[in-house]
Amino acid sequence: MAWIEVHQSLLTHRKTVLAARNLGIPKVQMVGHMVALWLWALDNAPTGTVQPPADVMIEFAAEWTGEPHDFAKALAEAGFLTFDNDGSVTISNWHE
C-alpha cells in the first residue's frame, strides 16, 4: 500500500497560504484538496507529471468544484505545480 507524507507545516506553509488566499478558501480546505490530489497522483501520475488536459485532471483529482482552471492556476502561482511546455503539469517536489 502506498502512502504520502504530510508535514505539520503544510497548514501554515507559504504555498498553502497563498493558494488558499488566491482561491478565497480556508487553509484547512486547501490542505484537503492537496491531499486528495497527492493521493490520486500515487496511482495516476507516479512520476509527478500529469498529462494533458492536466488542469482538468488536477481539479478532478483534488475534488475542486469552483471555477474551472482557477485551482490549477492558483497552485502554479503558489509553487505547488509547474506547467510544462508540452501541456503537462509537474507536481513540485513529488520525488520527495
Side-chain angles (χ1 to χ4, degrees):
M1 176 183 286
W3 56 277
I4 61 170
E5 186 175 318
V6 178
H7 293 242
Q8 81 278 1
S9 62
L10 181 60
L11 186 63
T12 57
H13 193 282
R14 68 167 191 79
K15 291 180 185 180
T16 306
V17 172
L18 180 59
R21 183 181 141 278
N22 287 347
L23 291 167
I25 62 174
K27 294 180 303 187
V28 68
Q29 182 179 346
M30 187 71 231
V31 168
H33 288 301
M34 292 306 302
V35 169
L37 171 61
W38 293 332
L39 291 172
W40 173 88
L42 285 172
D43 292 323
N44 297 282
T47 64
T49 300
V50 181
Q51 299 302 316
D55 58 341
V56 172
M57 292 308 301
I58 286 165
E59 292 180 349
F60 169 79
E63 302 283 334
W64 176 251
T65 58
E67 289 295 317
H69 313 290
D70 283 359
F71 185 76
K73 180 182 175 190
L75 264 57
E77 289 173 353
F80 279 120
L81 301 176
T82 302
F83 281 86
D84 302 321
N85 291 333
D86 63 358
S88 64
V89 171
T90 301
I91 301 171
S92 299
N93 301 317
W94 182 250
H95 60 282
E96 294 175 21

